[in-house]
Amino acid sequence: MNISIILLLLIVALNFSITQSFQHPLDPLSPKEINEIRVIIEKSHLKTLKNLTYHFVDVDEPEKDDVLHWLSSSSSSSSSSRKTKLLPRRAKVVVIGGGQTRELVVDLSKRLIVLDHVYKGHGYPPLTFEELLQASLLTQKDPRFLESLSRRNLKGSQVSCLPLTKGWFGEHVSTRGVKITCFYRNGTTNIYARPINGITILFDLELMKVTTYMDRYRAPLPKAKGTEFHSRPVQPGPSYPNITNSKFSIQGNLVTWGDWKFHVAFNSRAGTIISAASIFDGKENKYRRVLYRGHVSETFVPYMDSTEDWYYRTFMDVGEFGFGKAADSLQPLVDCPGNARFMDGYLVDAFGMPNLLPRAICVFQRYSGDVAWRHTEIGVPGRVIRNGEPEVTLVVRMIATVGNYDYILDWEFRQTGSITVGVGLTGVLEMKATSYTSMDQVTEEMYGTMVAPNTIAINHDHFLTYYLDLDVDGNENSFMRSSLQSERVRRMSTPRKSYWNVKKKIFKREAEARIRLSSKPAQLMVVNSNKKTNVGNPVGYQLITGQPAYSLLADDDYPQIRTAYTKYQVWVTPYSKSERWAAGFYADQSHGDDGLTVWTRRNRKIENKDIVLWYTMGFHHVPCQEDFPIMATLRSSFELRPTNFFDQNPITYKVKS
Ligand SMILES: *[C@@H]1O[C@H](CO)[C@@H](O)[C@H](O)[C@H]1NC(C)=O
Ligand SMILES: *[C@@H]1O[C@H](CO)[C@@H](O)[C@H](O)[C@H]1NC(C)=O
Ligand SMILES: *[C@@H]1O[C@H](CO)[C@@H](O)[C@H](O)[C@H]1NC(C)=O
Ligand SMILES: [Cu+2]
């Protein structure tokens, strides 16, 4: 071997190690890695399995301590490539093959399956797009269905069928299956407005055929007229000043803006994942940790109609399908403003192939027109002194279109250290056909609102549960409630008779930190009691919740058993790498034997521990006519707000004295 070849090899090796160590451990899998995973599996002992399908493929991130160590060593020194330990690059893969669900861990460096475990518990992994499409197409060819159509004088070419998850209602479950519901387009694109009611179709996803077919009754089809919606042309927004003026940078998956820096990942289940969010403290002259990881963990959308066509509609979209898989390519100027920058995502199809999702996430500076802070001082003699700044924030957005509904999911960072997590609901309602054309005729229970003649939009809820692994200035945090209590004045020296005072309580164990929000005023905080401000307050972040909503279903109702955590909006657990999905990983047809409610039965200690906060945002949706044919966005949000985290409002740190 001559010297130049050795040199070349050295350079190649060096390059390789540099790119390896600069790969952020939380980065999503690249298309190259996804292909490698498939090749590794196809060459392994699993190659003999028939019809292997991929239901979940994601980076299996290293242990949190290792990631934190990597983060601190990669940021503390610029010549970090030698200091930084190479973290194993692994993937978690869930496949179904030979009738079994297997959980695999694939090590990409060793090119090996390092773990292969057959899952035998209740519930199934996320459904694949390909099998759902097949289920619809095969149903539309079923002779019994064609006969039902001809009995109704409907043309097959004008029918759209959709598979819906079937939930679980106490039955013995032996196979994966969906229920199919069909619509008659006949000219309209708003398929949901024209349901063909009265047919029960159960489709078995293992046998890939219709196993139950019942044509029970005929209901009139709502008219197509008035069901359409079309967007008007969009003007490039003059309302966004100096759109080239956005002061944020995206390097790989790392975003820096103002004092914030954080990592943005995209995954098939949660969609956007915000990690390692830290804010620069101008007074301490360093970055301080705020949020190790935050994402949507589960959704629960139960419909409030107990009849045969509807009772099973109790969707858990994140676990059954995936918000990432449902993510839509964002439309510039409609979904995100003109100054937005886009990040692509990669999804893995049922065959293990990477699929590009262009513009999965957008990042933009928002000029809301709001006031960040202001004050006018007239108390200084002879002067009127005005100060203030406009609110400019940084938004990270994705949109999941789950069948009829569209969820706009925002993480909005503020210069003052707050993070506002916003959800917007829009899209089309789920509706059923009825013979009634006016409310005067109705004599029976409707389970919803008549939004058009022959059309009832069914009452339902939306619960979105967020996983929030706050690490306020470090891992060891506690959860605290500051309750406001009315006090009676006892001293005689004041004309006042009452006031309110703050009573603080640190929660010691999981069971007590399960909270149903009430009208009693209280602040909920994650604090770090080991770290005090300049005047001695424990540093903290407050959870400012939105309008509280919790599930109104009976505790013994099957959908409620599967999502028992939705009876409380707030839960706190000690960090565990395996606890991320509030209703358990295997949500499809789950029995409620995994997830938050089950984990917290151990009643673990949560004081001065690495803790995770779970918050469920809820909407009780009583449809109205304006929600038809397309619903104007309904918004809600919650805020993570620094509370005694900084020594004073951090915007004043920047003011040069
Ligand atoms: C499994 O694969 C074989 C061969 O590709 C195919 O004929 C068969 O229909 C598949 N079975 C299922 C249940 O998809
Ligand atoms: C479908 O649309 C055509 C054209 O508008 C109309 O003539 C026909 O009656 C419709 N069929 C049904 C079943 O509504
Ligand atoms: C926009 O940029 C122009 C030129 O850089 C500057 O004169 C103007 O003041 C800016 N406007 C705003 C609203 O920032
Ligand atoms: Cu709704």
Side-chain angles (χ1 to χ4, degrees), residues 416-431:
T416 47
S418 274
I419 305 172
T420 304
V421 181
V423 173
L425 302 182
T426 176
V428 182
L429 296 173
E430 281 203 25
M431 292 165 275

Side-chain angles (χ1 to χ4, degrees), residues 480-498:
M480 185 174 87
R481 180 173 60 202
S482 300
S483 305
L484 311 195
Q485 289 188 350
S486 295
E487 304 279 354
R488 194 78 195 165
V489 174
R490 290 199 185 81
R491 286 180 304 138
M492 303 303 276
S493 57
T494 168
R496 278 285 293 277
K497 294 202 180 342
S498 67

Side-chain angles (χ1 to χ4, degrees), residues 240-245 367:
Y240 290 95
N242 290 3
I243 54 170
T244 53
N245 203 11
Y367 304 84

Side-chain angles (χ1 to χ4, degrees), residues 184-200:
Y184 196 58
R185 296 189 309 277
N186 205 28
T188 179
T189 51
N190 187 349
I191 61 171
Y192 299 97
R194 310 198 73 206
I196 305 171
N197 280 171
I199 309 176
T200 300

Side-chain angles (χ1 to χ4, degrees), residues 231 234 328-337 342 358-359 362 399:
S231 37
V234 185
D328 198 7
S329 258
L330 296 165
Q331 320 164 69
L333 299 182
V334 175
D335 296 330
C336 311
F342 294 90
R359 303 186 308 282
C362 70
I399 299 181

